Amino acid sequence: VFTGKANCPYYAKAELLADYLQANLPDFRVHKITQHPDKWEQWLHEICEINGWEHRQSPIIWRELLDRGGKGLLLGGVNDFLEYAQHYYGITSMMLSEEMLDIAEENLQVHIEIEKEEEEIKSRIKPLQIWITSASSPICYQLIPLLANGEVFGMTTEISIHLLDTDQFKEVLCSIVMEAEDMAFPLLRSISKHTEIDEAFIQADIIIVLDEVLLNLEVQSLENYIREVSEICQVYAPLIEKNAKSGVRVISSGKTFVNLKAMMIMTYGPSIKPENVIAVATTWESAAKAILARKLNMNAAGVKDVIVWGNITGCNYIDLSHAKLYGYDSAIWGPANFPRPLLNMIYDSEWIRSEFLSAQSSLSSRVSHCVGMLPAHALATVLRYWYHGSPPGEIVSVGILTKGQFCIPEGIVFSMPVRFQNGNWEVMTELEINETTQEVLGRLAHELIQEKLVALKEIKELHPYAAD
């Protein structure tokens, strides 16, 4: 193995002698690695550190037995190789210094041209640029393999992941980057850490906002926590407008103030397309389906069309009026796509009114104490639906900016039923809702309006010259 600076005359001398040996000896094989002069010192340091070698100059030459594997045997520099060739094969090099310099210059030009060709090839394959805020969180750790294995964006779409967090979590980010690189995902073009806020969201296609506030109402008031969330979004939104692509998709997720984060990003980033900002409710959907499946003694994957209305991480309403069961073991059977109305199968209506409704508080507790696997899966599912469409006829709950659907006031982020098609989503306004549900939606909307007003008021008090 011959490695050296592309413009090194001693590398050129060793290279030509190696070419001669390869052409004239049946079992002699050569592998060449050239490095740009600017990158040589770092590369040499790393290869020596990995193998436990001591070498300081160009070239560095070692011997590997391809049929046996194992660690390479260091030969040394050009003089060491000349002695090796003379001793084993009785051949040496009589190349003059002027020839060495000419070949070295030619090697550098060829190396630069090859690098340009490789960069051009890479530039034609543009990976999706994915930014994740508060990237030290367990959700991010669980999410990265789901994004990088090809199931979310497709097996031909490369991605680049950018992890953003504060400087105090720098070591955590370094560990995540190293572990992701070690896993060698074929579709992960690159993964990088960022702790400087000014460089956030550059060329972003997707931004996943995971920032949380740790609620403890005995220490701070709810208004203070709302202000804290709003201030975070007031920093992010202008950076998204400035640095991200015009069609960037922003997804709010986490355990607290998911609706508010989406709302404030749209408020402080007026040029961000509202239809490209959503809040994920799939975590609560999945947990509710699991509770129902245990009651019915069936697989949770067979429970469909459970709707999460309202404030996803606050006061929400789990609606079962459209829920269906597939593969439910009952007296009536049908094909795999044969659904049964869930409410017809749960004959204990008292359980729904008491235990399941009260279970929603325990449901919130379960979600808030999860270690990251469930919300990561929810994020990956929503992203897959957004890019490739949701299953035909299936309801997905997503927090979106309201435009009067279901008589809900305009201008708040409210979780409601949608379908994903052709890279977009649309509200399933054809669904019928009863009077009781409509009254609940009215109360939930009022609470979200108040939360929005508090957020805007708190920021206005702190920044009296902020834009209305």
Side-chain angles (χ1 to χ4, degrees):
V1 181
F2 292 79
T3 70
K5 289 191 291 186
N7 64 343
C8 174
Y10 300 106
Y11 172 80
K13 185 172 185 176
E15 176 192 27
L16 259 67
L17 177 56
D19 288 343
Y20 177 83
L21 293 174
Q22 181 171 244
N24 290 277
L25 298 174
D27 296 322
F28 190 91
R29 296 290 177 267
V30 175
H31 179 65
K32 305 174 189 176
I33 304 172
T34 59
Q35 294 290 333
H36 192 280
D38 296 340
K39 300 178 182 178
W40 167 253
E41 294 295 336
Q42 180 64 29
W43 187 89
L44 178 63
H45 173 76
E46 291 175 356
I47 198 71
C48 288
E49 188 174 21
I50 291 171
N51 291 280
W53 295 335
E54 288 288 338
H55 193 83
R56 295 288 180 267
Q57 297 176 339
S58 171
I60 177 172
I61 304 166
W62 67 89
R63 182 170 179 253
E64 291 185 0
L65 299 176
L66 298 182
D67 58 339
R68 299 184 190 177
K71 182 180 174 182
L73 174 65
L74 178 65
L75 297 181
V78 62
N79 291 332
D80 301 292
F81 177 63
L82 292 177
E83 291 179 8
Y84 174 88
Q86 179 69 44
H87 178 74
Y88 280 93
Y89 310 115
I91 298 171
T92 190
S93 173
M94 304 301 294
M95 183 183 293
L96 301 176
S97 298
E98 186 176 343
E99 293 178 285
M100 292 164 55
L101 291 171
D102 289 341
I103 295 173
E105 185 178 350
E106 183 181 334
N107 279 347
L108 179 59
Q109 294 304 317
V110 171
H111 181 83
I112 292 172
E113 289 176 9
I114 291 173
E115 280 190 334
K116 285 182 178 178
E117 288 178 5
E118 290 176 349
E119 288 299 321
E120 186 177 350
I121 292 171
K122 286 182 179 180
S123 68
R124 292 175 186 170
I125 306 172
K126 296 183 178 179
L128 279 175
Q129 303 293 328
I130 303 171
W131 283 77
I132 305 175
T133 72
S134 193
S136 62
S137 72
I139 299 175
C140 176
Y141 183 81
Q142 300 283 352
L143 178 62
I144 289 172
L146 301 178
L147 298 178
N149 66 12
E151 294 183 7
V152 174
F153 303 107
M155 299 305 297
T156 59
T157 302
E158 290 190 349
I159 64 173
S160 289
I161 297 177
H162 305 267
L163 308 178
L164 178 67
D165 214 319
T166 58
D167 194 60
Q168 71 181 100
F169 295 107
K170 186 175 181 178
E171 291 187 8
V172 176
L173 298 186
C174 288
S175 298
I176 295 173
V177 168
M178 182 178 64
E179 193 167 349
E181 290 174 341
D182 289 347
M183 294 179 76
F185 294 106
L187 297 174
L188 182 59
R189 170 78 70 84
S190 64
I191 181 168
S192 56
K193 61 176 175 22
H194 304 267
T195 55
E196 297 295 332
I197 191 65
D198 291 340
E199 64 185 27
F201 313 130
I202 293 175
Q203 291 299 301
D205 293 292
I206 299 166
I207 298 171
I208 300 171
V209 181
L210 298 180
D211 295 73
E212 301 279 18
V213 294
L214 301 176
L215 290 177
N216 186 346
L217 297 179
E218 295 180 359
V219 176
Q220 288 193 67
S221 66
L222 182 62
E223 288 75 12
N224 286 336
Y225 288 118
I226 291 174
R227 181 177 64 194
E228 187 177 336
V229 173
S230 297
E231 288 180 327
I232 292 170
C233 296
Q234 196 175 25
V235 172
Y236 285 166
L239 289 170
I240 294 173
E241 290 183 303
K242 176 185 176 183
N243 295 337
K245 295 178 182 176
S246 59
V248 63
R249 299 180 181 187
V250 182
I251 302 177
S252 173
S253 183
K255 302 175 183 178
T256 57
F257 297 109
V258 171
N259 294 54
L260 182 63
K261 286 186 290 187
M263 182 73 256
M264 290 297 99
I265 285 172
M266 285 185 274
T267 301
Y268 296 118
S271 69
I272 302 171
K273 298 176 181 177
E275 64 271 19
N276 282 1
V277 182
I278 65 173
V280 174
T282 321
T283 306
W284 275 256
E285 250 184 49
S286 299
K289 290 174 182 177
I291 292 175
L292 294 164
R294 280 195 292 273
K295 173 66 176 177
L296 294 163
N297 193 28
M298 64 176 293
N299 190 327
V303 183
K304 306 289 186 183
D305 300 344
V306 173
I307 303 173
V308 179
W309 296 94
N311 191 352
I312 298 166
T313 51
C315 294
N316 59 48
Y317 172 58
I318 308 296
D319 183 2
L320 305 181
S321 60
H322 299 277
K324 302 179 185 66
L325 304 178
Y326 291 83
Y328 178 58
D329 188 5
S330 65
I332 300 176
W333 274 83
N337 60 350
F338 175 66
R340 307 295 305 276
L342 182 143
L343 291 178
N344 290 357
M345 297 298 101
I346 299 182
Y347 299 103
D348 188 358
S349 58
E350 181 61 29
W351 179 86
I352 296 175
R353 285 194 300 268
S354 58
E355 291 189 39
F356 180 73
L357 291 177
S358 64
Q360 290 189 36
S361 60
S362 63
L363 173 65
S364 178
S365 177
R366 285 165 57 89
V367 171
S368 64
H369 286 90
C370 66
V371 294
M373 191 183 304
L374 177 58
H377 179 265
L379 271 165
T381 300
V382 169
L383 275 169
R384 184 173 72 251
Y385 290 170
W386 207 347
Y387 275 81
H388 300 290
S390 51
E394 190 168 319
I395 297 172
V396 183
S397 300
V398 170
I400 54 127
L401 186 66
T402 56
K403 295 183 178 179
Q405 305 96 330
F406 302 108
C407 299
I408 299 168
E410 295 185 24
I412 56 174
V413 171
F414 197 94
S415 180
M416 61 180 68
V418 306
R419 66 169 67 88
F420 288 92
Q421 286 181 325
N422 303 319
N424 300 303
W425 53 262
E426 61 178 359
V427 179
M428 301 177 71
T429 52
E430 71 275 12
L431 293 180
E432 296 182 2
I433 58 176
N434 56 41
E435 292 183 6
T436 303
T437 301
Q438 191 67 67
E439 290 178 5
V440 173
L441 300 189
R443 292 197 299 271
L444 297 178
H446 177 74
E447 291 176 355
L448 280 168
I449 291 170
Q450 294 304 310
E451 185 176 90
K452 176 184 175 182
L453 292 175
V454 169
L456 295 175
K457 177 185 175 184
E458 295 291 340
I459 292 297
K460 193 68 176 177
E461 289 177 354
L462 285 176
H463 307 279
Y465 300 104
D468 292 334

